[in-house]
Amino acid sequence: MRPEQGKVVVVGSLNMDIVVRSSRFPASGETMFGQEVHFIPGGKGGNQAVACARLGHKAVMLGAVGDDGFGHSLLESLKANGVRTGHMKKTNAAATGIASITLTPADNTILVVPGANETLTAEDINAWSSVISEASILLVQLEIPMEAVAAAVDIADRHGIPVILNPAPARNIAADILRKVRYITPNQSELLELTGIALSDEGLERAIDALLERGPEFVVATLGSKGAAWKQRGGQLQRIDAHRLEVIDTTGAGDAFNAGLACALSRGELIGNGVRFAVAVSALAVTKFGAQDGMPMKEEVERFMRSFTHEGATR
Ligand code: RIB
């Protein structure tokens, strides 16, 4: 099958996010009362697929859920958002993944129990080879077994399909995988963990260069409130500021960024425009509560981008 323009295939995790709002994090050994609890569809893979669908793209999700209540809700939520779920694995071997998230006004902590996500094998991925071969871009994260990541990247490589690897959460990545990835999108702590280089001002570029040497053609680093920086092998370091909007929930901010980048690149945008679009998608995502629930629609992003292009006021 030939790649289809604008089609993003996401290989990754699905979790039910159990989000507890709290005034602060409990201290070690302390019991305290939280304010409210929410069960919200999440998982880095699911979040990225939903974001792509909301941005008006064909988004295909490849991953695993348990044959249980959370698994069914996650699939329903993906479908309701327009994500194609026809090839998902449903397993009795493990429960659907969950993420226990504590959300305070200042920050969040996330503890993931991968469950069914851990059952994804290279064999499962190889069975989806024809689905991956129709993608115009493949988007992968690291919340599934490395053998599954390696198999997906390998299929994309054989079909000449560009891969965005979002190295979250940070783990050791085999040299062979890095050589087959065109874009890698670490945040600051992932960049530090992958390269061992502290991110002072000049450390950032050294860390990016160290990662470029390992294979990817582009490193796109997300820098939280400082925006994003990117570099192509042999090119110059480029930077873009973050937008200053009211932050409600940063869960899924990185997922929104990766989805925005994948969508822009899948329709043939240049990297600079892709990063600009991704920064806008991510800025809007944090103004709403919940990872998947907070992903913006295409029209919102376009309106937002028009507003600062014309007025220059919201940046
Ligand atoms: O990136 C945010 C996601 O990380 C959450 O939705 C949670 O499920 C964890 O995977």
Side-chain angles (χ1 to χ4, degrees):
M1 280 293 217
R2 289 159 58 96
E4 200 179 314
Q5 219 210 356
K7 184 170 189 173
V8 181
V9 172
V10 181
V11 174
S13 59
L14 294 123
N15 298 324
M16 182 58 83
D17 288 354
I18 304 170
V19 185
V20 175
R21 265 189 201 274
S22 170
S23 54
R24 62 173 173 83
F25 296 114
S28 172
E30 179 188 12
T31 300
M32 64 178 280
F33 290 110
Q35 286 147 359
E36 54 192 33
V37 63
H38 299 265
F39 292 78
I40 307 177
K44 295 186 194 304
N47 297 345
Q48 295 181 14
V50 164
C52 289
R54 288 192 176 198
L55 291 170
H57 280 249
K58 280 189 187 156
V60 180
M61 180 74 220
L62 299 176
V65 291
D67 194 2
D68 50 33
F70 281 168
H72 296 151
S73 313
L74 293 183
L75 290 182
E76 283 315 308
S77 168
L78 290 176
K79 279 188 226 158
N81 278 290
V83 176
R84 289 145 201 243
T85 58
H87 301 277
M88 290 283 305
K89 172 174 174 176
K90 253 194 229 157
T91 180
N92 285 312
T96 296
I98 65 108
S100 166
I101 301 182
T102 305
L103 186 64
T104 74
D107 209 347
N108 66 20
T109 57
I110 306 184
L111 199 58
V112 173
V113 182
N117 296 302
E118 273 298 299
T119 72
L120 262 191
T121 61
E123 219 176 15
D124 294 325
I125 303 289
N126 288 331
W128 294 325
S129 154
S130 63
V131 183
I132 295 175
S133 73
E134 291 171 15
S136 59
I137 202 149
L138 173 71
L139 186 50
V140 198
Q141 325 74 34
L142 299 180
E143 271 185 346
I144 55 172
M146 239 356 145
E147 65 158 298
V149 172
V153 168
D154 197 52
I155 293 166
D157 184 57
R158 276 189 272 122
H159 289 88
I161 292 162
V163 178
I164 299 179
L165 174 63
N166 173 213
R171 294 164 65 180
N172 270 336
I173 307 170
D176 191 47
I177 296 181
L178 283 175
R179 271 195 298 270
K180 293 175 183 164
V181 157
R182 187 173 302 171
Y183 308 90
I184 186 162
T185 57
N187 66 16
Q188 297 174 89
S189 62
E190 290 150 4
L191 190 54
L192 169 64
E193 189 138 342
L194 287 169
T195 64
I197 298 173
L199 302 189
S200 59
D201 271 352
E202 137 258 0
L204 172 69
E205 186 161 9
R206 277 202 297 119
I208 288 179
D209 286 340
L211 206 44
L212 286 171
E213 267 172 36
R214 291 164 67 187
E217 190 182 340
F218 295 90
V219 173
V220 182
T222 55
L223 307 174
S225 61
K226 295 199 202 99
W230 74 97
K231 189 170 180 179
Q232 180 173 14
R233 212 175 322 124
Q236 301 278 322
L237 184 73
Q238 315 272 342
R239 293 186 82 132
I240 176 169
D241 289 342
H243 303 281
R244 310 231 172 274
L245 302 182
E246 194 198 356
V247 176
I248 302 292
D249 181 3
T250 55
T251 318
D255 299 329
F257 181 93
N258 277 277
L261 184 66
C263 288
L265 296 174
S266 79
R267 47 176 196 259
E269 298 276 6
L270 296 175
I271 184 78
N273 290 339
V275 177
R276 218 158 284 124
F277 185 73
V279 166
V281 175
S282 161
L284 289 172
V286 301
T287 62
K288 294 189 198 125
F289 177 66
Q292 284 179 26
D293 291 353
M295 295 303 175
M297 308 296 278
K298 179 178 173 214
E299 300 69 31
E300 273 175 81
V301 183
E302 287 173 348
R303 206 176 319 121
F304 177 59
M305 291 190 78
R306 271 198 305 273
S307 75
F308 67 77
T309 311
H310 292 151
E311 294 155 24
T314 50
R315 294 189 49 190

